[in-house]
Amino acid sequence: MMVPAALLLLGALASVVAPRLLARADWPDREPVVALWVWQCVVAAVLLCCVLSMTLSASAAWVAVRGHVFGGAPASVVDAYGPSAGGPWAAATAVALACGGAWTAAMLAREIVRARLRRRQSRSELQVRAPLLPGEESGADRLVVLEGERPDAWWLPGTAPQLVITTAALRRLKGRQLDAVLAHEQGHARARHDWLLHCSAALANGFPQVPVFAAFRDEMHRLVELAADDVASRRFGRLTIALALVELNEDRGVFGPGQAPGAHVPQRVDRLLNPRDRLTTARRLQLTAAAALVPVVPVLVAFVPGLRALG
């Protein structure tokens, strides 16, 4: 039971330390795409610790599972994991982690179902507010204009994704600002940011007491917007997308005192108007490679006893 315990300890350590280290770093705002990758690797490592610990605990508790896990392995490798020393703790650990895995799957399924219901409801409301003209096909237009007094624009994902924008937003957006908003929303769609948001929300809602999952959800919401801002700014300039953000959010109270919905918008505008230098290509590659190695650590911990036995 030493290896499963070590894996659980490693996962707990990563779930506490990683969010603090990333919160202190000053580069995620400068490189949001790299930061998204780092966060995914950290969460993958934590989940991998749990999966490997569950597998090894189950193999120590039940002979049938052990036969599948160590099928064909030499006896010295099996003995290196001490399967006979697990006792009732091995079964309890395996069952608890299996329940956690099932709960995670259930939370993710619930999140996906809710997202589909919201999307279906949004499309139904869109058809009511903007009915199709005779001979017009559903989803034929990527841009849909709605009559509305509140400036707003959002991307409606699906098999035929569409950008929905209100007439108030059209009156406010000048020049290439509308194109910048469209590029921003297309950046979300191309990178499939909706899946990142669904997965992070499922983990955070399923395990609200785990720091890394709560931080993962919060950072995903923030970083995907920064990444989409960068996509738009590369095509139309930082000033254009910054002014578009101001025009769309000026009446929502986000630029005043206090915490309002969308309180991250002022920080996004400030980041666009006062850009900091990007990391060098070599530094970005180093961070990407280092993050990719993080999920490898629990795999190495799980395989060390077997490799030692073979050596």
Side-chain angles (χ1 to χ4, degrees):
M1 281 293 289
M2 288 300 297
V3 177
L7 287 168
L8 288 178
L9 181 61
L10 178 63
L13 186 65
S15 68
V16 174
V17 174
R20 295 181 180 180
L21 292 178
L22 288 171
R24 293 176 183 175
D26 64 347
W27 57 265
D29 285 1
R30 298 157 65 185
E31 299 293 343
V33 174
V34 178
L36 286 169
W37 169 250
V38 172
W39 271 105
Q40 292 175 73
C41 290
V42 169
V43 172
V46 173
L47 295 176
L48 198 54
C49 285
C50 296
V51 171
L52 291 172
S53 180
M54 177 192 68
T55 303
L56 294 176
S57 297
S59 68
W62 299 291
V63 177
V65 177
R66 192 181 313 158
H68 289 289
V69 174
F70 296 101
S76 59
V77 173
V78 180
D79 295 338
Y81 289 90
S84 60
W89 288 104
T93 302
V95 171
L97 292 173
C99 290
W103 180 249
T104 302
M107 290 296 100
L108 181 58
R110 186 184 71 168
E111 186 67 25
I112 293 174
V113 169
R114 287 182 174 180
R116 288 181 175 177
L117 290 176
R118 288 193 299 267
R119 188 184 307 167
R120 190 177 304 168
Q121 182 179 3
S122 298
R123 289 196 177 277
S124 299
E125 293 175 355
L126 183 62
Q127 290 179 357
V128 172
R129 297 180 62 183
L132 297 176
L133 298 176
E136 187 178 6
E137 297 181 2
S138 178
D141 295 326
R142 300 186 66 181
L143 179 63
V144 179
V145 179
L146 291 181
E147 187 71 31
E149 296 299 325
R150 182 176 182 178
D152 203 358
W154 66 94
W155 187 261
L156 192 60
T159 54
Q162 294 173 305
L163 175 66
V164 184
I165 189 167
T166 62
T167 52
L170 286 179
R171 288 193 295 268
R172 289 202 170 193
L173 297 177
K174 304 174 182 65
R176 298 202 300 172
Q177 293 175 7
L178 177 59
D179 295 328
V181 171
L182 178 59
H184 173 98
E185 298 299 339
Q186 286 177 335
H188 285 311
R190 290 195 186 100
R192 301 309 302 265
H193 286 160
D194 54 330
W195 279 103
L196 275 178
L197 298 179
H198 294 332
C199 292
S200 62
L203 290 171
N205 294 334
F207 304 94
Q209 303 303 322
V210 180
V212 70
F213 294 155
F216 181 49
R217 174 193 57 193
D218 296 338
E219 284 298 287
M220 288 305 97
H221 281 277
R222 189 177 71 89
L223 291 173
V224 297
E225 295 298 335
L226 299 186
D229 286 343
D230 288 347
V231 171
S233 66
R234 281 193 289 268
R235 292 183 58 188
F236 301 100
R238 291 179 173 271
L239 180 60
T240 302
I241 186 63
L243 291 175
L245 286 173
V246 172
E247 294 293 347
L248 291 176
N249 294 277
E250 188 176 14
D251 295 338
R252 301 183 183 184
V254 298
F255 296 101
Q259 291 293 328
H264 60 284
V265 174
Q267 287 75 26
R268 290 168 57 193
V269 173
D270 181 70
R271 173 180 175 271
L272 290 167
L273 296 180
N274 301 285
R276 299 175 60 186
D277 292 336
R278 295 191 62 186
L279 300 180
T280 62
T281 302
R283 180 58 175 161
R284 293 199 298 271
L285 290 175
Q286 289 175 358
L287 288 171
T288 302
L293 293 177
V294 173
V296 179
V297 175
V299 177
L300 292 177
V301 171
F303 276 88
V304 162
L307 294 175
R308 284 182 177 176
L310 292 175

